[in-house]
Amino acid sequence: MKTSSLAIAIALTLAACGQPDSSRAQDGVFADNRVIPGDATSMKASFAPVVREAAPAVVNISARGVRTVQDPFWSMFGMRPQAQQVGSIGSGVIVRPDGVVVTNNHVVENMQQIRVTLNDRREFPARVVLADERSDIAVLQLEGVNERLPALNIDDREEQQIGDLVLAIGNPFGVGQTVTNGIISALNRTETGISDSGSFIQTDAAINPGNSGGALVDMDGDLIGINTAIFSRSGSSSGVGFAVPATMVRRVVDSAVGGATAVVRPWLGVKGETVTADIARSLGLERPQGLVVTEVWPNGPGARAGIREGDVVTAIDGAEINDQGGLNFRVGTREPNSTVEVTVLRDGRPTNLEARVQRLPGDADVDKGGLIRTGALSGAQVVELNPALADSLGGDPFASGVIVTRVQRGSYAQRVGMQSGDVIVAVNGRSVTSAGQLDNLGRGTEMTISRRGRAITGVIG
């Protein structure tokens, strides 16, 4: 474990008050090597050595692009969309001496010109090698690099603990490189609304606009996360910041360096529900823990490993699982065809199963759909959902139905209110599984659709 400095020692000293003697420090040293300062010299502990090591690898990013904007009023008179210049400012981290930089995808998304400024004020143009919208991580390659650049080591060993000291380094509000300190407030945060497959490090180190893509480093000067989002009513830091863990950063970087154009996330083929206090009582569990399995994909990785409906998944490779997001994250950081150990509670007894996680079945190409040419939905281009397609669109891989990918202007489908992204779930009470069920629909047909997660049922008029 790591030796920490004054602030963490004080925090641990306070935390030890009121604990059993076995958990207290002996002769000023805790069992995990965290040390209490014993003299005036140690009271002058500084983060400067860590900053000197880490700061040169943290960069500022400025990006510019062009987007088209259509004014609804002028569009009625046939006016074309207008081009508008847009810009973005953020931070990034050099993770390889040859100029590979990690940042947030939202910093460089849809930008045509990217310029990276190093801590020593040198500037380089950059191009996007791989952008992963799901994790909000993008990998850039600096151009014109003729020497080894300072780089941070990606520490994906996951040895961090709640209460450990961390530094956030970035470019808040575009003022220039800035360092703030805090602690790890929580680990494995999944119910954040940031991502359906994200598991974040929460910190109280000040993170503000412009810090996006910057480094969260530990007291060894290693990169343990990429600062990504904050919870705030004002837009400024309120002490609740989130970073993408190094395990996912490593996965995206390795994919990019390996020549991939996208991060392929395997799946376990298991869907479940968080174990609440009521569910725990009904299952006879001592406490609420894990994810109770409600569906297992036929012949999927979980099914072949022996996972059954009613099992409670409590860990993946020893990492605690308590919700679907946590399971998706743990499995998503693995390479396809790799083996994971799944710990389940079955009949109240823990059982370890080995599962070989694999690519989601199906085709994620939305352009392979067909055009409905007859009936009330004519003019809608649709494609049947499959796990790979649903997952690529940010939906539930277990979902069934037919998704609308495009609606022609002036078509019958547009007149009845269909929109791109709508999932047609049922027609006249029958589940929809193929596009052929949508031909020749007429007036009086009852249809159920899912729109942005909300079920809507109506009758075609």
Side-chain angles (χ1 to χ4, degrees), residues 12 104 106 156 195 206 238 279 331 335 354 369 383 435 443 451:
L12 286 169
N104 279 144
H106 71 257
D156 59 353
S195 168
S238 57
I279 293 176
V331 174
E335 294 282 350
E354 285 195 349
V383 61
R443 296 178 64 179
R451 176 176 294 169

Side-chain angles (χ1 to χ4, degrees), residues 63-420:
R64 298 197 65 79
V66 177
R67 69 179 179 185
T68 56
V69 180
Q70 178 66 70
D71 187 300
F73 175 78
W74 291 111
S75 66
M76 294 188 297
F77 298 94
M79 296 290 290
R80 295 181 178 179
Q82 301 297 307
Q84 184 181 75
Q85 290 282 339
V86 293
S88 174
I89 296 176
S91 307
V93 184
I94 305 173
V95 293
R96 284 170 56 105
D98 58 355
V100 174
V101 173
V102 174
T103 186
N104 279 144
N105 180 60
H106 71 257
V107 173
V108 297
E109 188 175 20
N110 299 322
M111 297 296 172
Q112 287 79 47
Q113 297 178 344
I114 304 172
R115 197 147 194 90
V116 174
T117 304
L118 274 59
N119 191 32
D120 61 9
R121 297 191 178 184
R122 285 182 293 171
E123 295 186 1
F124 295 91
R127 58 182 174 86
V128 177
V129 179
L130 190 154
D132 184 49
E133 186 176 355
R134 294 280 295 277
S135 64
D136 197 15
I137 293 293
V139 179
L140 314 180
Q141 175 65 59
L142 303 187
E143 298 179 330
V145 176
N146 299 316
E147 59 186 283
R148 290 177 62 86
L149 299 177
L152 281 187
N153 173 56
I154 302 176
D155 182 358
D156 59 353
R157 294 172 296 177
E158 297 189 293
E159 294 180 341
Q160 297 83 31
Q161 297 183 28
I162 297 172
D164 280 352
L165 275 174
V166 289
L167 301 181
I169 309 177
N171 181 26
F173 301 108
V175 300
Q177 192 176 91
T178 301
V179 181
T180 56
N181 83 284
I183 64 170
I184 294 178
S185 305
L187 295 168
N188 304 318
R189 284 291 195 213
T190 53
E191 301 295 329
T192 61
I194 301 171
S195 168
D196 65 335
S197 60
S199 181
F200 297 90
I201 300 172
Q202 182 182 331
T203 178
D204 67 346
I207 297 173
N208 289 291
N211 272 109
S212 291
L216 188 70
V217 302
D218 61 14
M219 292 299 100
D220 285 343
D222 292 333
L223 182 71
I224 63 169
I226 293 295
N227 299 319
T228 296
I230 59 174
F231 275 169
S232 173
R233 290 189 174 91
S234 65
S236 299
S237 175
S238 57
V240 184
F242 298 97
V244 178
T247 48
M248 181 55 75
V249 176
R250 172 82 70 184
R251 179 85 168 81
V252 179
V253 170
D254 287 349
S255 297
V257 172
T261 57
V263 178
V264 178
R265 287 177 172 80
W267 81 325
L268 187 60
V270 168
K271 182 179 179 180
E273 181 180 349
T274 298
V275 175
T276 62
D278 289 339
I279 293 176
R281 280 192 293 270
S282 68
L283 296 175
L285 302 179
E286 293 181 359
R287 65 179 181 88
Q289 61 171 327
L291 183 80
V292 60
V293 177
T294 56
E295 292 184 62
V296 180
W297 190 263
N299 201 35
R304 291 196 294 271
I307 299 175
R308 310 170 188 168
E309 292 184 14
D311 286 345
V312 178
V313 178
T314 58
I316 299 289
D317 286 337
E320 186 175 292
I321 299 297
N322 281 307
D323 52 38
Q324 189 71 48
L327 186 145
N328 293 345
F329 174 80
R330 287 294 163 191
V331 174
T333 59
R334 305 300 191 262
E335 294 282 350
N337 298 317
S338 61
T339 300
V340 299
E341 183 181 75
V342 184
T343 303
V344 302
L345 290 177
R346 181 177 295 167
D347 299 325
R349 294 187 298 272
T351 302
N352 291 327
L353 304 171
E354 285 195 349
R356 186 177 296 277
V357 295
Q358 295 178 332
R359 292 170 178 256
L360 283 84
D363 193 332
D365 189 355
V366 297
D367 294 325
K368 287 192 174 181
L371 184 68
I372 299 176
R373 300 184 181 278
T374 58
L377 297 186
S378 62
Q381 183 170 324
V382 299
V383 61
E384 296 165 12
L385 277 179
N386 59 67
L389 177 58
D391 184 70
S392 71
L393 297 173
D396 179 5
F398 282 76
S400 61
V402 173
I403 186 169
V404 178
T405 59
R406 190 174 296 112
V407 179
Q408 293 180 344
R409 294 185 63 180
S411 65
Y412 281 113
Q414 185 184 47
R415 294 179 192 177
V416 299
M418 299 304 298
Q419 299 179 11
S420 177

